[in-house]
Amino acid sequence: ANRELAMQLSAAIRRLSRQQRTAFLLHHVHGLSLEEAAGVMGCRSGTVKAHVFRAIEHLRALLAPWLKQEGL
């Protein structure tokens, strides 16, 4: 189940917009603060926060059918 979840999550992350994917990965995978991610992305921390929020919402929507199917 964990392997399948990882594959589904990876596929869903690839479907995010470039900005959402970058912000999400920098903040949640690489552990950068919003301010640090903003420095890398060349934008304001509020913009990064918005991209991360939208990425999470998009990931939830993309993964919901799979999670429902798996009974999770």
Side-chain angles (χ1 to χ4, degrees):
N2 286 338
R3 178 184 236 167
E4 180 65 24
L5 176 59
M7 288 175 23
Q8 292 291 330
L9 183 56
S10 293
I13 289 171
R14 285 192 300 273
R15 293 182 60 188
L16 296 172
S17 71
R18 183 179 54 83
Q19 293 90 354
Q20 289 177 4
R21 183 174 52 251
T22 300
F24 179 83
L25 292 174
L26 288 173
H27 185 60
H28 285 291
V29 176
H30 296 289
L32 273 62
S33 69
L34 295 174
E35 293 78 19
E36 292 168 328
V40 171
M41 294 178 69
C43 60
R44 294 181 174 187
S45 62
T47 303
V48 174
K49 186 176 181 179
H51 286 313
V52 170
F53 176 80
R54 289 185 192 114
I56 290 170
E57 291 298 308
H58 197 184
L59 291 172
R60 281 186 182 138
L62 291 170
L63 294 172
W66 181 81
L67 292 171
K68 187 175 181 179
Q69 175 186 338
E70 294 296 314
L72 301 173

